[in-house]
Amino acid sequence: MLAPGGQGALLAPAHTATYYGRPGGAYVPFADAEPTGYGLAWRAGHATGAVESFSRTARAVARDVAQGDPLIAVPGSAPAAL
């Protein structure tokens, strides 16, 4: 990882700091970025029953999160009360 060594930078979603923090790395939020999108992908012809089940479940959870406040779905990302 080059960023903690002062030799690079990486744009990452806000939840990355929560789950993938590293010593020497700093996550600096900025408010004017577009929301990060995600998608599932697997090799054509390799959609097993487990893959299809996971895909259905992931889509259902994503729909539930999208209907609520997405910030409360990521631990530690909700804005602090003033």
Side-chain angles (χ1 to χ4, degrees):
M1 188 169 172
L2 295 175
Q7 299 178 4
L10 172 69
L11 295 178
H15 75 273
T16 305
T18 301
Y19 296 108
Y20 301 105
R22 298 285 185 267
Y27 290 91
V28 181
F30 55 98
D32 59 347
E34 292 292 320
T36 301
Y38 293 93
L40 297 174
W42 54 88
R43 188 175 295 189
H46 288 79
T48 65
V51 168
E52 291 172 356
S53 179
F54 178 81
S55 177
R56 278 192 306 275
T57 302
R59 281 194 292 264
V61 170
R63 278 192 299 273
D64 290 347
V65 169
Q67 291 174 2
D69 181 353
L71 290 179
I72 62 173
V74 179
S77 65
L82 298 177

